[in-house]
Amino acid sequence: MFDTLTTVMRRALVLGATIGFAVGLVTGLVGLGVAGWPGLASGLVGAVLTILFLGITALGLLVSGRLTRRGGTAAYAVLMLAWFAKLVVFVVVLVALRSQPWVVPGVLLSSIIGTVIASLLVDAIVVGRARIPVTDRV
């Protein structure tokens, strides 16, 4: 039985979210030890933000996969729109969080970086283990 784009992306999203919450919990607990409750909040907020942005990527890939039947340009347009939306929202959120007194920047940054690295590893493992046919004549 072969995997479809939907099953691969669903598997990557579920495992990525699980690992992301684990990284957020670890960085939050380290932040709690270093900076108290603001450190815990910063670690958890960083992980949740990263998981939401990774979800936007998965959603963009699923939508572009459905649009590929209509032509490659539509699929690329959806991916670029998702990427641009993530970039704009990420910058706006970071600017808004910068002025908050409860944010510990080092913990927030380490949580974001840790979650991104962990999700990239999960994505590589999920895609590497996927059984995707090379031809569409199955």
Side-chain angles (χ1 to χ4, degrees):
M1 180 111 198
F2 292 114
D3 290 322
T4 63
L5 176 65
T6 304
T7 59
V8 172
M9 292 310 301
R10 185 181 305 131
R11 196 175 309 135
L13 193 58
V14 168
L15 288 175
T18 304
I19 295 296
F21 282 121
V23 170
L25 185 63
V26 168
T27 56
L29 290 175
V30 169
L32 180 65
V34 171
W37 292 108
L40 175 66
S42 296
L44 294 176
V45 165
V48 168
L49 283 174
T50 308
I51 291 167
L52 288 176
F53 289 128
L54 295 173
I56 292 172
T57 300
L59 181 66
L61 285 170
L62 288 172
V63 170
S64 70
R66 292 179 191 259
L67 291 177
T68 302
R69 295 178 189 102
R70 296 183 186 164
T73 306
Y76 292 129
V78 168
L79 288 176
M80 290 304 295
L81 182 62
W83 178 80
F84 186 70
K86 284 190 326 182
L87 179 67
V88 169
V89 171
F90 186 71
V91 169
V92 168
V93 166
L94 285 183
V95 167
L97 285 177
R98 181 177 61 178
S99 63
Q100 298 300 318
W102 53 269
V103 172
V104 180
V107 176
L108 182 69
L109 179 66
S110 64
S111 178
I112 290 171
I113 290 172
T115 307
V116 166
I117 290 172
S119 69
L120 288 174
L121 290 173
V122 166
D123 289 348
I125 291 169
V126 167
V127 171
R129 291 184 179 172
R131 295 178 41 95
I132 301 172
V134 179
T135 180
D136 48 342
R137 286 191 238 153
V138 178

